[in-house]
Amino acid sequence: MAAELYPASANTNLANSNNAAAAAANSKKNALQLQQSAQPPPPPPLQNLNNNNVETSANWQSFHPTLRERYMYSDEIDLEADTVLATLYAAKKYIVPALAKACVNFLETSLEAKNACVLLSQSRLFEEPELTQRCWEVIDAQAEMALKSEGFCEIDQQTLEIIVTREALNTKEVVVFEAVLNWAEAECKRQGLPITPRNKRNVLGKALYLVRIPTMTLEEFANGAAQSDILTLEERHNIFLWYTAANKPKLEFPLTKRKGLVPQRCHRFQSSAYRSNQWRYRGRCDSIQFAVDKRIFIAGLGLYGSSCGKAEYSVKIELKRLGVVLAQNLTKFTSDGSSNTFSVWFEHPVQVEQDTFYNVSAILDGNELSYFGQEGMTEVQCGKVTFQFQCSSDSTNGTGVQGGQIPELIFYA
């Protein structure tokens, strides 16, 4: 049974176990030794291994909130990435809720784009809805990184179909198509099959027809999917006709574009202004620190542009935590002379943890005179997320909490 629960996952450092004995061996580090309690409640006549369905009267362990109350020698848990899944399996099998919760918390802490798809598969098998939801948050917001990860190729077919069906995936459809092809090749290798178009279609089954190929641009389709060997000649022909012909053929692929995620904006100033002698950039750094009370994903910044008409800026934006660069991007944007903000995006959304201060900065080069923010707020409520702001020592151009540049943080929550 354990072998069915753990698909191969070498590249995620989350080792799998083939049976309960191996799970117990890998968990020795936890110093959790089971022994007979002095006066335990009578065990149920038949043990149900699907622990979520065990009757309350039989699940007596759940009434003891810590490991020390019952039959554990130690209430200290020392989990590691290569044993946590095996430990979770053992905790589920022997109905130790406190240990299971500790394992889930550990997995949530180590969750990132490169292992989110594997952990989604495991969370479904272990029936852990909170972990499943956290996996979806990461997969949706950082879909491109999650789908391009090696871990994506290691998931089971049912999880593949669930991910490819996902409406909120925040990425281009060409990325989904390429990820599905990579999974098909990996599955052929797992089954010992030659990597041929026929075998790839066979292992994919209906998953191929969950990819929303018609929502690609014509250029994306022509340069990618149309040149792959996974589609039949008839499918390619019909899709080209669907793009170009007035009388469109019927396709087996979904035609509706994914909704993705709607970016939210935290605006920290109550007004903006410009004067003849400021705001000037001159290639100096504008920076601000922020913290949030819920985990979010920072996608980019909204910046002010020229106060003297249309202008183009070169800009470097950066996100740091404790001096470590988490993301940066060097790009350009064009302002239209208005006091509107102009969006500049990081290459990928970046996960930001709650109750920790991060530093965002922007260095602009272009028309020196621009709009600037006034009446800055130290705390801003954006939907269910509360932002706090404080001055940054990196700011060398005058930006602070009360005024300056970086009027907006763009995020997903």
Coordinates of all heavy atoms in Angstrom, one line a residue, residues 335-377:
S335 N 5.9 56.3 -20.1 CA 4.8 57.0 -19.4 C 4.2 58.0 -20.4 O 4.8 58.4 -21.4 CB 5.4 57.7 -18.2 OG 6.3 58.7 -18.6
D336 N 3.0 58.4 -20.1 CA 2.2 59.3 -21.0 C 2.1 60.7 -20.6 O 1.3 61.5 -21.1 CB 0.8 58.7 -21.3 CG 0.0 58.5 -20.0 OD1 0.5 59.0 -18.9 OD2 -1.0 57.9 -20.0
G337 N 2.8 61.1 -19.5 CA 2.7 62.4 -19.0 C 1.7 62.6 -18.0 O 1.6 63.7 -17.4
S338 N 0.9 61.6 -17.7 CA -0.2 61.7 -16.6 C 0.4 61.3 -15.3 O 1.5 60.8 -15.2 CB -1.4 60.8 -17.0 OG -1.0 59.5 -16.8
S339 N -0.4 61.5 -14.3 CA 0.0 61.1 -12.9 C -0.4 59.6 -12.6 O -0.3 59.2 -11.5 CB -0.7 62.0 -11.9 OG -2.1 61.8 -12.0
N340 N -0.8 58.9 -13.6 CA -1.1 57.4 -13.5 C 0.2 56.7 -13.1 O 1.3 57.1 -13.3 CB -1.7 56.8 -14.8 CG -3.0 57.4 -15.1 OD1 -3.7 57.9 -14.3 ND2 -3.3 57.5 -16.4
T341 N 0.0 55.5 -12.5 CA 1.1 54.6 -12.2 C 1.3 53.7 -13.4 O 0.3 53.4 -14.1 CB 0.9 53.8 -11.0 OG1 -0.3 53.0 -11.1 CG2 0.8 54.7 -9.8
F342 N 2.5 53.2 -13.6 CA 2.9 52.4 -14.8 C 3.5 51.1 -14.2 O 4.4 51.1 -13.4 CB 3.8 53.1 -15.7 CG 3.2 54.4 -16.3 CD1 3.4 55.6 -15.6 CD2 2.4 54.3 -17.4 CE1 2.8 56.7 -16.1 CE2 1.8 55.5 -17.9 CZ 2.0 56.7 -17.2
S343 N 3.0 50.0 -14.7 CA 3.3 48.7 -14.1 C 4.7 48.2 -14.6 O 4.9 48.2 -15.8 CB 2.2 47.6 -14.4 OG 1.0 48.0 -13.9
V344 N 5.5 47.7 -13.7 CA 6.8 47.1 -14.1 C 6.8 45.7 -13.3 O 6.6 45.7 -12.1 CB 8.0 47.9 -13.6 CG1 9.3 47.2 -14.0 CG2 7.9 49.3 -14.3
W345 N 7.0 44.6 -14.0 CA 6.8 43.3 -13.5 C 8.1 42.6 -13.2 O 9.1 42.7 -14.0 CB 6.0 42.4 -14.4 CG 4.7 43.1 -14.8 CD1 4.4 43.9 -15.8 CD2 3.4 42.9 -14.1 NE1 3.1 44.3 -15.8 CE2 2.5 43.7 -14.7 CE3 3.0 42.2 -12.9 CZ2 1.1 43.8 -14.3 CZ3 1.7 42.3 -12.5 CH2 0.8 43.1 -13.2
F346 N 8.2 41.8 -12.1 CA 9.3 40.9 -12.0 C 9.1 39.7 -13.0 O 8.0 39.5 -13.5 CB 9.3 40.3 -10.5 CG 9.7 41.3 -9.5 CD1 8.8 41.8 -8.6 CD2 11.0 41.8 -9.5 CE1 9.1 42.7 -7.6 CE2 11.4 42.7 -8.5 CZ 10.4 43.2 -7.6
E347 N 10.2 39.0 -13.2 CA 10.1 37.9 -14.2 C 9.1 36.8 -13.7 O 8.3 36.3 -14.5 CB 11.4 37.3 -14.4 CG 11.5 36.2 -15.5 CD 12.9 35.7 -15.8 OE1 13.8 36.1 -15.1 OE2 13.0 34.8 -16.6
H348 N 9.1 36.5 -12.4 CA 8.1 35.6 -11.8 C 7.6 36.2 -10.5 O 8.3 36.9 -9.8 CB 8.7 34.3 -11.6 CG 9.3 33.6 -12.8 ND1 8.5 33.0 -13.7 CD2 10.6 33.4 -13.2 CE1 9.3 32.5 -14.7 NE2 10.5 32.7 -14.3
P349 N 6.3 36.0 -10.2 CA 5.9 36.4 -8.8 C 6.7 35.7 -7.7 O 7.2 34.6 -7.9 CB 4.4 35.9 -8.8 CG 4.0 35.7 -10.2 CD 5.3 35.3 -10.9
V350 N 6.9 36.5 -6.7 CA 7.8 36.0 -5.6 C 7.0 35.8 -4.3 O 6.2 36.7 -3.9 CB 8.9 37.0 -5.3 CG1 9.9 36.5 -4.2 CG2 9.7 37.3 -6.6
Q351 N 7.1 34.7 -3.6 CA 6.4 34.4 -2.4 C 6.9 35.3 -1.3 O 8.1 35.3 -1.1 CB 6.4 32.9 -2.1 CG 5.6 32.6 -0.8 CD 5.5 31.0 -0.7 OE1 4.7 30.4 -1.3 NE2 6.4 30.5 0.1
V352 N 6.0 36.0 -0.6 CA 6.4 36.8 0.6 C 5.7 36.3 1.8 O 4.5 36.1 1.8 CB 6.0 38.3 0.3 CG1 6.1 39.1 1.5 CG2 6.9 38.9 -0.8
E353 N 6.5 36.0 2.8 CA 5.9 35.5 4.1 C 5.4 36.6 5.0 O 5.8 37.7 4.9 CB 7.0 34.7 4.8 CG 7.5 33.5 4.0 CD 6.5 32.4 3.7 OE1 5.5 32.3 4.5 OE2 6.6 31.7 2.7
Q354 N 4.4 36.2 5.8 CA 3.8 37.2 6.7 C 4.8 37.6 7.8 O 5.7 36.9 8.2 CB 2.5 36.6 7.3 CG 2.8 35.4 8.2 CD 1.5 34.8 8.7 OE1 0.6 34.5 7.9 NE2 1.3 34.6 10.0
D355 N 4.5 38.8 8.3 CA 5.2 39.4 9.5 C 6.7 39.4 9.4 O 7.5 39.2 10.3 CB 4.8 38.5 10.8 CG 3.3 38.5 11.0 OD1 2.7 39.5 10.7 OD2 2.8 37.5 11.5
T356 N 7.2 39.7 8.2 CA 8.6 39.8 7.9 C 8.8 41.0 6.9 O 8.0 41.1 6.0 CB 9.2 38.6 7.2 OG1 9.0 37.4 8.1 CG2 10.6 38.7 6.9
F357 N 9.7 41.9 7.2 CA 9.9 43.1 6.4 C 10.8 42.7 5.2 O 11.8 42.0 5.3 CB 10.6 44.2 7.2 CG 9.5 45.1 7.9 CD1 9.2 44.8 9.2 CD2 8.9 46.1 7.2 CE1 8.3 45.6 9.8 CE2 7.9 46.9 7.8 CZ 7.6 46.6 9.1
Y358 N 10.3 43.2 4.0 CA 11.0 43.1 2.8 C 11.4 44.5 2.2 O 10.7 45.4 2.6 CB 10.2 42.3 1.7 CG 10.0 40.9 2.1 CD1 9.0 40.5 3.0 CD2 10.7 39.9 1.4 CE1 8.8 39.1 3.3 CE2 10.5 38.5 1.7 CZ 9.5 38.2 2.6 OH 9.3 36.8 2.9
N359 N 12.3 44.5 1.3 CA 12.8 45.8 0.8 C 12.6 45.8 -0.7 O 13.0 44.9 -1.4 CB 14.2 46.0 1.1 CG 14.7 47.4 0.8 OD1 14.6 48.3 1.7 ND2 15.2 47.7 -0.4
V360 N 11.8 46.7 -1.3 CA 11.6 46.9 -2.7 C 12.3 48.2 -3.1 O 12.3 49.2 -2.4 CB 10.2 46.9 -3.2 CG1 9.6 45.5 -3.1 CG2 9.3 47.9 -2.4
S361 N 12.9 48.2 -4.3 CA 13.6 49.3 -4.8 C 13.5 49.5 -6.3 O 13.2 48.5 -7.0 CB 15.1 49.3 -4.4 OG 15.7 48.2 -5.0
A362 N 13.7 50.7 -6.7 CA 13.6 51.0 -8.2 C 14.7 52.1 -8.5 O 14.8 53.1 -7.8 CB 12.2 51.5 -8.6
I363 N 15.4 51.8 -9.6 CA 16.4 52.8 -10.0 C 16.0 53.1 -11.5 O 16.0 52.3 -12.4 CB 17.8 52.2 -10.0 CG1 18.2 51.8 -8.6 CG2 18.8 53.2 -10.6 CD1 19.6 51.2 -8.5
L364 N 15.6 54.4 -11.7 CA 15.1 54.8 -13.0 C 16.1 55.7 -13.7 O 16.8 56.5 -13.0 CB 13.8 55.5 -12.8 CG 12.6 54.7 -12.5 CD1 12.4 54.6 -11.0 CD2 11.3 55.3 -13.2
D365 N 16.2 55.6 -15.0 CA 17.0 56.4 -15.8 C 16.2 56.9 -17.0 O 15.7 56.1 -17.7 CB 18.2 55.6 -16.3 CG 19.3 56.5 -16.9 OD1 19.2 57.8 -16.8 OD2 20.2 56.0 -17.6
G366 N 16.1 58.2 -17.1 CA 15.3 58.8 -18.2 C 15.0 60.2 -17.9 O 15.8 60.9 -17.3
N367 N 13.8 60.7 -18.3 CA 13.4 62.1 -18.0 C 13.5 62.3 -16.5 O 12.8 61.6 -15.7 CB 12.0 62.3 -18.5 CG 11.7 63.8 -18.5 OD1 11.9 64.5 -17.6 ND2 11.1 64.3 -19.6
E368 N 14.2 63.3 -16.1 CA 14.5 63.5 -14.6 C 13.2 63.9 -13.9 O 13.0 63.4 -12.7 CB 15.6 64.5 -14.4 CG 17.0 64.1 -14.8 CD 18.0 65.1 -14.5 OE1 17.7 66.2 -14.0 OE2 19.2 64.8 -14.7
L369 N 12.4 64.8 -14.4 CA 11.3 65.3 -13.6 C 10.1 64.3 -13.7 O 9.7 63.9 -14.8 CB 10.9 66.7 -14.2 CG 11.9 67.8 -13.9 CD1 11.4 69.1 -14.6 CD2 12.1 68.0 -12.4
S370 N 9.5 64.0 -12.6 CA 8.4 63.1 -12.6 C 7.4 63.4 -11.5 O 7.7 64.3 -10.6 CB 8.9 61.6 -12.4 OG 9.1 61.4 -11.0
Y371 N 6.3 62.8 -11.5 CA 5.4 62.9 -10.4 C 5.9 62.2 -9.2 O 6.8 61.4 -9.3 CB 4.0 62.3 -10.8 CG 3.3 63.0 -11.8 CD1 3.4 62.8 -13.2 CD2 2.3 64.0 -11.5 CE1 2.7 63.5 -14.1 CE2 1.6 64.7 -12.4 CZ 1.8 64.5 -13.7 OH 1.1 65.2 -14.7
F372 N 5.4 62.6 -8.0 CA 5.8 61.9 -6.8 C 4.6 61.8 -5.9 O 3.6 62.6 -6.0 CB 6.9 62.6 -6.1 CG 6.6 64.1 -5.7 CD1 6.2 64.4 -4.5 CD2 6.8 65.1 -6.7 CE1 5.9 65.7 -4.1 CE2 6.5 66.4 -6.3 CZ 6.1 66.7 -5.0
G373 N 4.6 60.9 -4.9 CA 3.5 60.6 -4.0 C 3.6 61.5 -2.8 O 4.7 61.9 -2.3
Q374 N 2.4 61.8 -2.2 CA 2.3 62.6 -1.0 C 1.3 61.9 0.0 O 0.6 61.1 -0.4 CB 1.8 64.0 -1.3 CG 2.7 64.8 -2.2 CD 2.2 66.2 -2.3 OE1 2.9 67.2 -2.2 NE2 0.9 66.4 -2.7
E375 N 1.4 62.3 1.2 CA 0.5 61.8 2.3 C 0.5 60.3 2.3 O -0.5 59.6 2.3 CB -1.0 62.3 2.0 CG -1.2 63.8 1.9 CD -2.6 64.2 1.6 OE1 -2.9 64.2 0.4 OE2 -3.4 64.4 2.5
G376 N 1.7 59.8 2.5 CA 1.9 58.4 2.6 C 1.4 57.8 3.8 O 1.3 58.4 4.9
M377 N 1.0 56.5 3.8 CA 0.4 55.8 4.9 C 1.3 54.7 5.4 O 1.9 54.0 4.6 CB -1.0 55.2 4.5 CG -2.0 56.3 4.1 SD -3.5 55.5 3.4 CE -2.9 55.1 1.8

